[in-house]
Amino acid sequence: MGVLLAVLSGFVIAAVAPWVHRGLGRHGGWVLAALPAALFIYFASFLPGLGEAEGGRFILEYDWIPSLGIQLSFLVDGLSLLFALLISGIGFFVVAYAGRYLEGHRDLGRFYVLILAFMASMLGLVLSSNLISLFVFWELTSITSYLLIGYNHEDAKARKSALQGLFVTVAGGLALLTGLIMMALVGGSYELHELLTSGDIFREHDWYMGILLLVLLGCFTKSAQYPFHFWLPNAMAAPTPVSAYLHSATMVKAGVYLMARLNPSLGGTEAWMLLLGLFGAVTMFVGVFLSLRSTGIKQLLAYSTVMALGTLTMLIGVGSETAMLAAMAFLLAHSLYKGALFLVAGILDHEAGCKDILQTGGLRRALPVTTAFAGLAALSLAGVLPALGFVAKELLFEAVLEAPALAGLLSILAVVSAMMVVAVAAIIGIRPWYGPRADTPKRPAHEAPPALLAGPVVLASLGLLFGLGAGWVDQGLISWAAAAVYGAPVSPYLSLWHGFNLPLLLSGVSLALGLLLYLNWERFRRFTGFMEVANRYGPEAAYEKSMSGMVWLSGWQTRVLQNGYLRYYLLTILVSTVGLVMVTLFTRTDVNIDLDLSGILVHEAFIVAVLLMAALVSVTTRSRLGAVASLGAVGFCVALIYVLFSAADVGITQVLVETLTVIMLVLVLFRLPGFLGLTPMALRIRDALIALAVGTMMAVLKLAASTTQYADSISDYFIQESQPSGYGRNIVNVILVDFRALDTLGEIVVLALAAVGVYAMIKFRAEDRK
Amino acid sequence: MNSQFALQSLILRTAAHFLLPLLLIFSVFLLLRGHNEPGGGFIAGLVAASAVALYMFAVDVRSAKRVLRFEPRDLMGWGLLVGVISGVPAVFVGQPFFTSQWLELKLPLLGELKVGTPLLFDVGVYLVVIGAVLLILLSLAEAEGKTDHHHGGG
Amino acid sequence: METLMAFTVGGLFSAAIYMMLRRSIVKLVIGLVLLSNAANLLLFTQAGLLRGAPPLVPKGATQPTGVVADPLAQALILTAIVIGFGVLAFAVVLIHRAYEVVKADDMDQMKDTDT
Amino acid sequence: MVTELLMEILISFFLLAGVGFIFVAALGLLRMPDLPIRLHATTKAGALGGGLLMIAVGLESFGDVAVAAKAAAIIVFLVLTGPVAAHLIGRAGYFVGVPMWSGTIKDELKGRYDHKTHTLMSPPGLSRTRDEQSD
Amino acid sequence: MIGPLASNILLALVWMGLTGSFTGTNLFIGLVLGYLILGSALRDQPGFATYASKIPKAIRFIGFFIKELIRSNLKVAYDVLTPTYYMKPGVIAFPLEARTDGEITVVANLISLTPGTLSLDVSSDRKVLYIHVMYLEDEESVIESIRYMEYRALEVLR
Amino acid sequence: MRLEVALPVIIPLFFGALTLTLWRWRMAQRVATATGTGLMLLSALWLLAATWQDGILVMHMGDWQAPFGIVMVSDLLSAIMVVLAGISGFATAVYSLTSMSKRHEAFGYYPLLHLLLAGVNGAFLTGDIFNLYVWFEVMLVASFALLILGGERAQMEGAIKYVTLNLVSSAMLLSAIGLLYGLTGTLNMADIAEKLTYAEDPGIITVIAMLFLVSFGIKAGAFPFFFWLPASYHTPQVAVSALFAALLTKVGVYALFRVFTLIFTQDVAYTHGILLWVAGATMLTGVLGAAAQYEFRRILSFHIISQIGYMIMGLALFTPLALVGGVFYIMHHIIVKANLFLVSGLVYRLKGTYELKELGGMYRSHPMLALLFLVPALSLAGMPPLSGFFAKFILIRAGVEAEAWWIVGVALVVGLLTLYSMMKIWAEVFWKAQPEEHANRSAHGSAGSGVLYLTIGGMAALTVFIGLGAEPIYRMADAAAHQLLNPSLYIDAVLGERQ
Amino acid sequence: MLEFSIFIAYTVLGVSLVLIFFRLVLGPSLPDRVVALEMLATLTVGFIAVYTLSSGVTAFLDVAMVLALTAFLAAVGFARLIAKGGSQDGD
Ligand code: NA
Ligand code: NA
C-alpha cells in the first residue's frame, strides 16, 4: 500500500489543508511542508534496494477498474524515483516558501489545497504504470495547474492565461489519450511495464506513426515545445511558488517524462529521432532567444525553461546512451537551478517589489544571502565548472556531436543556445545584484526570511554538490534513470572532468561568447526588435485566431441553424426526413408500387374528394373561420371514412372530438386576429413543394408498405377472445379497457395533463404578478 | 361577467334545460353498455362534457359549474385514481397489474350482474374525460370573461 | 381503395405541413389538426379496409360471424385521437396565450428565446 | 313473400324520399339566395330527409326492437336540435348584418336589437291578443 | 305542471328506448338514473318540464305536425328545384301566446319546422317572436296559420 | 409475475392522481411528492437489483399472453434508465420542495412532475411499440405543461417551438408504427423483432427505420432535429429544466437504442452508418452552439445536444464496447446535466440572473458552490477521474477499435470545446469579480439553500462515485450491452422459449 | 330493388355532399358556412342510415345518434362567436 498511500496522501492532506491553515496561521506552511518532506524520505528509502530489484524496478498493483484494464499500478524505477524525489523535494521548499510568500493572502488556504493536490497528481503521473491512470494524473495536473495559474482570478489576464494553458495542454492530452489507447490496443495491455518490452511490436505496426504523432502532441503541448510553447510564459501569471514548482521543475517536465518513459517502446526509429530532435532543438533555440528578449524576471526564466525542455526533448530524440545520461543529468540540474532561481525571483518581488530585471540593480548589500545563492544557481545554469550544469552541458555536447542524424544542425543549435544561456545566466546572476543601486519599487529592509531562503540555498547548493560529486550521483540515481529511459543498463560515464576534448572546447567558447553577449544585451534586444512583428503571426497569434474563429463559427452556426424561425426548423427536419426516406427507399428496396383504383364505390370517391378539397380550402382560404369550418368538414369526412370502413367507436369519437375541437377553436379564435398573408409568393411555392414532397413520401411509403406483409395480425386473438375472456362483445372496447388497458390509462393521463396545462396557462399568468 | 359569456337566447336556454338531462342519461347509457356495443368511458365522457358545455353556452358558466357539482380538476383526479386503482386488486390475488377481476352479483331485483374491474376502469376514464374536457372549456370560458374585463373586446 | 387512401393520407399530410410552415400561429394550429387526422387515417388504412364488418360480437355469440375489421387498429386510433385531442387543446390555448403576450400572430415575433 | 316485397318497396320509398329531401336541402343550401332562406331549406328538408331515412331503417329493424328505438331517438334528436341551431345561426347572421336577399319584402326586426345591452325590443304598439297576465 | 315525477318517468322511458330493453329491471335502472340526473342537474329548476300531459292530444298534434312538415318541404323543394325563385321573403313580428320558457321554445321550434317559417328570435320581453317567412304574399293568412299551430301546440302543452 | 417491473410506472401514476385530488392542499401535495418520488426511487433500485440478479424480467399486463397484451419488460438498459429517472426525479422533487414558488405549486406542479416521471418510466419499461408512443405522449404533454408553468413570454415562445416540433415527431412516430403494424401485424417489440428475423426482402423495414430515426432523433435532440431544445430548455423553472435536461432527450436516446438494437438490425451497415453521421454532426453542432452563448442555461442546453451525440455514437458504432460506452455515457450524463442545471438554479437564486456577464465573484463568496459546480462541469468536459472521463474513454476506445477515426476526432474536439464552455462559465460566474453595475441584484438571497446544497452535493458525489467507482458501473453497462447485442435474450424473455 | 335504391341513395348523398361543400367554400358569410357544416352533420346521419340498410349492421346507428345530439354544439359555438363579433376577418 505504500506507494498508493504516498500518492493519495497529497489529496488527503489537500482536503484538510484549509483547516490546518486556519488553525496554524503563519506556521501552516511549515507544517504542511512536512508531507512532501516525509514523501521525499519515503521515496529516498527505495534507493538502496533499487540496485538489487528485479529489472531495476518495483511494480505495485491495485485494482481499480479491472474490466477496462485500468489499474492503479505503480512502477518504481530510476526514472520515476528521480522525478518523485524532485517533486517531493522541491515540493517541500515550495510549500514552506509559499506559507511565507503568500502570508496574509485571503486565498492561501485554497492555495495549499491546490498545490498539494497538484503534487499528488504529479507523483501519480510519474509513478503510474498503467497508461490510463497515468493519463488521469496527467489531466489532474492540467486542472490543478489551471486553477493555480488563475490564482489571482479577479485579474482578467490571469484568467485568460489559465485558460490558454489548460486549453493547449488538454488539447494535447486528448491526442495523448487516443495515442495511449492505440498503444494499449497494439501492445495488448495498459501496463507500462509490459509495454516497455514490446517495442518491436509498436515499431512494426501500421498504427506506429499515428501513435507517435498523437503521443508526441500530448507531450509537446505539456512540455511547451515549439510551436506550443507560448502558454508557458503566460502561465507566469501564477504566484511565484507555482511558477517555481509547476512551470519549471515539475509539471512541464511531464511531457519530457513521458517521452523518456516511452523511449523503449516508441523510440529508436527515424521518425522519433527526427521529430524529437528537430522540435527539441528548435524549441531550445527559440526558448533561449525569447528569454534573452525578455526583461520580466519570470518571463526570462520561463523562456529559459522552454529552452531546457527543448534540450531534454532533443536529447531523448538523439537516443544514445550518452544522450540519456545527459538528459537525466540536465533534468536534475535544471530542476535544481531553475527552482532556486524562480524562488529568488519571488524574493526580488517580495522584498524589492521588482518584477522586471531593468528595475533591479545593486541589491547585493540588502540581500547578501540571496545574491550568493542566486549566483550559485546561475553558475549551474551557465554550465560553469564545477556545477552540475557543467557536467550536463558536457554530456549534451558529446551527445549531439555523436547524434545518429542531424548531428551538425543539432550541434550548432546547441552551441549557439548554450552561448545565449550563458548570457541569460549572467543577466539573472549578475545584473540585479551588482552595479549601482537601482531605485526599486520597494526598498528591501532586510534579507528574506528563512522560509523564503531555504529553497534557493538548498537547491543551489545541491547543484554545486552534485556537480562536485558527479560520479557518486552517476552511480546511483542518474544511471538508473538513464537505464530506464534507454531501455537497457548504461555504463556509468558521468563525472565532473572528462579531460580536454571537443565538448570542453565548445563549452569554453560558449561561455566566452555568452559573456560577450551579456555585455551587449541592450543592443541584442534592439537588433531583435523585429521579432515583435513575427509574434503577430506566431503560434500564439494562431491560437488566438483559432479561438476567436471558433467563437465566430459558433455564432454563425447558431444564426444559421438556431435562427429562431420555427418554419426553418420544420423545413430542415422535413427535408432531412424526405431525403433520408426517399434515398433509403430507392437504394435499399426494389420499389414496387401498385396504383390500383378498382373497387372504389362512388360515394366513397365523393367523400374522399370532398375531404381533400376541404383540406385544400382550409389551407388556401383567407378566412380563419372559414378554415375552421373546412376543418370541420375534413373531420366529418374522416369520420365517414371510419364509419364506412367498419369503425363505429372511432367514428363516434371522431365526431365528438371534431365538435369539441371546433368549439375550442371558436372559443380561442375569438381573441385572435384574422389570417395574415405574411409570405411572398415564391416562398409559398417553395413551402408548397416541400409540403407536397412530404405528402408524396407518406403516400409512397404507405403504398410500398401495403405490398408487403410479413405476418398475420395478432388482432385475430382479440376477435376470438373478446367475449370468452373479456366478457364484452364490443371488441374495441374490450381492447381498450382490458387487453390494452395500459394504453388507455396513458391516454387519459395525457388528457388530464393537457387539461392541467391549459388550466395553468389560462389562470397562471406572468402579467398578473404585480 | 360570466353571464356575458353565454348566448342570450331564451330558446337555446330552454332547449339546454331539456337537452342536459337527456345528454347526461345518454352518456351514462353509452358508458354502461360500452363493453358490448359502441360506446365506453371515453365516448360517454365526451357526451357528458358536451352536455355541460352546451349548458355553459346556453345558460352561463357558473350554472354549468354547478351542474357539474364537483370541480373538474377533482373529477379528473378521482377518475385517474380510480383508473390506476382498478389495476391493483389483481396484485393481491397474485396476478399482474390490470388483470381483470370479475364478480358475479346476484341481486334480488336486477338478477345476475357481471361486474369487473374493466368496468371500473372505464368509469375512471369517464370521469377523467369529463373533468379534463370541462376543465379546458370552462377555463377558456372564464378566461374570456376575464380578458374582456381587462383589455376590452378583441 | 389502398391507392385512394394513399392519396388521401398524402394530401392531408401535405396540407398539414404547408400550414405548419406559415408564419401565422393560427395557421400552425390548423396544420396540427390536419396532421393528427393524417396520421390517424394512415394508421387506420394500414390495417386493411373492410366495409360493413365492425368488430362486434353478436348477442349470445362468443365470436363474430365472418370476417370483421381489425379491432386492434381501431383501438389504437381511438387512443391516438384522444391523445391528439388533448395535445391539440394544449396547443390551441398555447397559441392563444402566446398571442396575448406577444400581441402578434406572427412567428417571426417569437424568436427571442433562441438567439 | 308478398309482405317481404311490400316491405322492400316501402323501405325503398322511404329511403329514396329521404335522400331526395336531403338532396333538396343540399341544393337549397347552395342555390338559395340568402342565409335565412338557406336555413329554411336545411332545417326542414334536413330534418325530414333524415327522419325519412330513419323510418326506413326502423322499418327494416333487422328483427331488433332496439334498432327501431334508436331510429326513433335519432329522429327526435334531429327534430330537437335542428330548429334550435337554425334559430341561433339565423339570428346571429341577422344581428351581425349578413345581407338579406334583395327580394326580401319586409323586415320588422330591423333596428330592434341593441348591440350594447344585447336586448331585443318588441315592436311598439304590438300587444298580445288576449288579456295579459302578469309576467 | 306535470312535475319532476313525470320527467323522471319520461327519462326512464327514454332510457329503456335507448337500451332497447323493456324489462322491469331496466325500468328500475332508468328511474334511478333519471332521478339522479334530474336531482343533480336541474336542482335549480323546480317545476321544469311541462310537456306531454295529454297523450291523445299529443298524438293528434304529431299527426298534424308531420302533415305540415311534409307540406312545407314540398313547397320549399319545389322552389329549390325549379330555376326561378317564387318566394317573397320577409321578417315579421309574431305576438306570442305562449308564456313559459318551455312553451315559447316549443312553439318557436315548431314554427321553424313548418311551412315557410323560421323563428329568428324572441324579444327580450318575450312578447314577440320574430319569424322569417318565405312566402309573405299574404301576411294575415301567414300569421293566422302560425297562430293556429301555436294554439294546437299549447293545447298539448297546457 | 414480477411486481417490480410495473411498480416504477404505477407508483408515479398513483401519486400523480393522488396529488391531483389533493389539489387544494399544498402541504399534502408536498408530502405526497416526497413520499412518491422516494418510493419510486426505491422501486427502481429494487427493479435494478432484481434484473441484475435474475436477468430480463417481464410482466404481462392484464395477464394477457405475450404478443397480445402489453408487456412491461425490464432488461438492464431499462432498469438502469429507470434508476436514473428515479434519482433525478427524487433529486428534482427535493430541490423543488424548497425552490418552487407557491403559485407553481398551486397550479399543478406536483401532479405534472409525477406524471412526467410515469411517462418516462413507462417509455423505459414498455415492451410494446404503441405503448411506447403513449408513454412518449404522456411525457411530452407533461413536459409541455411544465414548460409553460409560469406564463412568461419566453416560456410561451419556447413552448410553441417545443410543442410543434415534438408533435411532428409524434405524428411521424405514429405513422411509422402504423406502417410497421401493417407489415408485421403486431405491436410487441419482441414479436416484431422475431417476425422480421425471418422476413424476406426487408428493405422496406429499413425505410421505416428512417422514420423512427427521425422521430426519435427529434425527441433525442439529435442533428438536424434539435432546434426545439435550445429554444425552450432555458425558459421554465430551473428544477424543471434540470429534469428535462436529465431525462427527456434520454428517453429519445433510449428509444433509439431499443429499436436499433432489437428491431432494425437488418441493414446495420446502412442504418448505423447514418446514425454515426448523425452522432458526429450532433456533437459538433451542439458544442459549437454553446460557444457563442452567454446565458448559463443556454450553454447547458446546447451541451445537452452535443452529449446526445456521444450516446448515439455508442449506438452507431454498434460494437459491444461502443454500446457499453453509450450506456455508461447515459448514466453519467443524466446525473451530471441535472446537477449543472440545479447549480445554475442556485446561482440564480443567489444572484437573480442567468447572464454570465452580470454574474461574478462567486468563487469568493460561495466557495462550496464553486466546488460543486466544478465537479459536474469538469465531468461533463470529460476530465478524469470523474464519470465523464470514463464515459468518453470507453467510447473513444471503441471508436479506435473500430478504426472510425473521424468520429474519434470529433469526439475529442467536442470534449475540448465542452471544456472551453465549462471554463467560460467558471471564469465568468465564479472567478471574475462581481460587476459593479449588477452587484445589488438578488432574487431570494440564500434562504433555504441548505436543502439545495444537499441535493447538488449528493448528485456531485454520485458523479465522483461513477468515476472513482467505475468498475461496478462498467460491469452493469457491459451486461446491458450484452443483452442489447443479443436480442434473442429479450425475445425469449418476452415470448417464452420456443422452437 | 333495395340494392339499386341504395346505390341511388349513396350517389345522391355523394352529390349532396359536394353541393354542401361548395356552400361551405363559397360562404360568403361565416353563418353560411356554419349552416353548411350543420347540414354536413345531417348528411352524415343520412349516410349512416343508408349504410345501415346496405350492410345490415346496426351498430353505426349509435354514431348517428351521437351526431344528431351533439353536432349542433358546433353551430352553437359558432353562433356565439358570431354574436360576440368575432368574425371580422372578411367572412
Ligand atoms: Na386506448
Ligand atoms: Na316553417
Side-chain angles (χ1 to χ4, degrees), chain A residues 736 740 743-745 747, chain C residues 75-76 78-79, chain F residues 130:
Chain A
L736 288 175
R740 295 181 67 88
D743 276 350
T744 310
L745 188 62
E747 157 205 320
Chain C
L76 301 187
L78 250 162
T79 305
Chain F
F130 187 81

Side-chain angles (χ1 to χ4, degrees), chain D residues 40 44, chain E residues 72 110-119 131-132:
Chain D
H40 278 285
K44 284 164 266 282
Chain E
S72 75
L110 289 175
I111 286 169
S112 288
L113 287 167
T114 45
T117 52
L118 183 81
S119 304
I131 303 175
H132 186 274

Side-chain angles (χ1 to χ4, degrees), chain A residues 21-172:
Chain A
H21 164 64
R22 216 170 292 165
L24 297 173
R26 61 183 302 171
H27 306 296
W30 285 109
V31 172
L32 289 169
L35 174 70
L39 288 173
F40 183 86
I41 294 166
Y42 171 73
F43 289 121
S45 73
F46 277 93
L47 283 171
L50 203 59
E52 287 93 66
E54 194 190 329
R57 62 193 191 185
F58 301 102
I59 292 156
L60 304 106
E61 286 186 331
Y62 309 97
D63 267 3
W64 187 8
I65 314 173
S67 305
L68 273 171
I70 301 175
Q71 299 286 72
L72 278 172
S73 56
F74 298 103
L75 172 62
V76 183
D77 65 357
L79 184 62
S80 50
L81 264 187
L82 172 62
F83 271 91
L85 288 169
L86 281 174
I87 291 159
S88 51
I90 299 179
F92 165 77
F93 293 111
V94 166
V95 172
Y97 184 96
R100 191 61 204 263
Y101 183 80
L102 292 172
E103 194 182 339
H105 196 294
R106 53 185 167 178
D107 289 341
L108 182 54
R110 287 179 214 174
F111 178 87
Y112 286 134
V113 173
L114 292 171
I115 201 97
L116 288 171
F118 167 80
M119 182 190 71
S121 313
M122 201 62 213
L123 285 173
L125 195 167
V126 298
L127 288 164
S128 281
S129 173
N130 186 283
L131 289 181
I132 301 306
S133 60
L134 182 150
F135 181 79
V136 168
F137 290 117
W138 177 285
E139 293 291 65
L140 278 175
T141 64
S142 295
I143 296 164
T144 40
S145 149
Y146 167 75
L147 294 169
L148 283 166
I149 298 173
Y151 185 71
N152 295 312
H153 51 86
E154 293 186 346
D155 173 15
K157 193 174 168 301
R159 294 198 300 270
K160 197 178 163 207
S161 300
L163 182 65
Q164 193 184 56
L166 181 72
F167 213 70
V168 173
T169 52
V170 169

Side-chain angles (χ1 to χ4, degrees), chain D residues 7 11 18 34 36 41 50 55 58 60 62 66 75-76 79-80 90-91 98 101 110 114 122 124 126 128 132:
Chain D
M7 203 60 177
I11 291 170
D34 75 3
I55 289 173
E60 173 64 88
F62 311 99
I75 296 174
V76 171
V79 167
L80 274 178
R91 76 163 196 160
V98 172
W101 181 45
K110 199 169 188 176
D114 185 339
S122 45
L126 206 114
R128 299 197 175 191
E132 280 189 53

Side-chain angles (χ1 to χ4, degrees), chain A residues 655-668:
Chain A
V655 163
L656 285 167
V657 162
E658 204 53 48
T659 305
L660 283 170
T661 303
V662 167
I663 288 178
M664 224 163 46
L665 284 174
V666 156
L667 273 176
V668 166

Side-chain angles (χ1 to χ4, degrees), chain A residues 146-457:
Chain A
Y146 167 75
L147 294 169
L148 283 166
I149 298 173
Y151 185 71
N152 295 312
H153 51 86
E154 293 186 346
D155 173 15
K157 193 174 168 301
R159 294 198 300 270
K160 197 178 163 207
S161 300
L163 182 65
Q164 193 184 56
L166 181 72
F167 213 70
V168 173
T169 52
V170 169
L174 290 173
L176 173 68
L177 177 63
T178 317
L180 295 180
I181 290 173
M182 289 167 77
M183 274 189 79
L185 287 176
V186 172
S189 167
Y190 282 100
E191 292 301 319
L192 270 172
H193 61 85
E194 288 171 27
L195 295 174
L196 290 179
T197 55
S198 44
D200 289 336
I201 298 175
F202 293 109
R203 287 185 280 267
E204 282 155 24
H205 198 274
D206 288 346
W207 287 1
Y208 175 73
M209 267 318 280
I211 293 173
L212 185 61
L213 289 174
L214 289 167
V215 169
L216 288 186
L217 202 55
C219 295
F220 283 7
T221 48
K222 191 84 168 176
S223 281
Q225 298 296 297
Y226 186 88
F228 310 112
H229 64 288
F230 54 90
W231 69 265
L232 181 55
N234 290 336
M236 295 301 131
T240 302
V242 173
S243 307
Y245 194 38
L246 275 67
H247 304 126
S248 67
T250 56
M251 186 187 83
V252 288
K253 297 221 173 78
V256 171
Y257 164 79
L258 191 60
M259 287 186 277
R261 176 54 88 200
L262 294 178
N263 183 47
S265 299
L266 299 176
T269 65
E270 206 158 287
W272 173 271
M273 158 75 212
L274 287 178
L275 282 169
L276 268 67
L278 271 180
F279 276 93
V282 170
T283 306
M284 172 179 72
F285 176 75
V286 170
V288 72
F289 178 84
L290 292 173
S291 173
L292 262 183
R293 292 244 340 108
S294 314
T295 59
I297 301 170
K298 288 175 74 178
Q299 298 288 314
L300 186 127
L301 290 172
Y303 276 123
S304 81
T305 302
V306 172
M307 182 281 295
L309 296 168
T311 309
L312 288 166
T313 304
M314 179 183 74
L315 285 171
I316 296 168
V318 168
S320 62
E321 225 178 300
T322 319
M324 293 316 173
L325 274 173
M328 292 305 110
F330 190 79
L331 179 88
L332 179 58
H334 176 257
S335 299
L336 295 175
Y337 68 67
K338 195 53 68 65
L341 287 176
F342 262 111
L343 297 179
V344 166
I347 293 174
L348 278 173
D349 187 11
H350 197 258
E351 303 299 327
C354 295
K355 291 183 178 357
D356 196 297
I357 206 93
L358 300 178
Q359 294 171 314
T360 60
L363 286 166
R364 73 177 185 283
R365 254 177 264 283
L367 304 166
V369 183
T370 312
T371 305
F373 288 93
L376 196 53
L379 281 182
S380 191
L381 170 60
V384 178
L385 200 78
L388 183 59
F390 169 78
V391 180
K393 189 158 75 171
E394 292 287 280
L395 281 169
L396 184 156
F397 285 147
E398 195 171 327
V400 291
L401 284 169
E402 295 165 2
L406 299 173
L409 177 67
L410 298 188
S411 304
I412 293 168
L413 281 173
V415 174
V416 174
S417 301
M419 170 197 85
M420 290 161 83
V421 167
V422 171
V424 171
I427 291 166
I428 192 71
I430 300 169
R431 168 83 207 223
W433 322 106
Y434 301 96
R437 178 68 193 259
D439 192 15
T440 53
K442 240 161 70 181
R443 285 197 76 81
H446 49 74
E447 181 56 271
L452 296 189
L453 276 176
V457 169

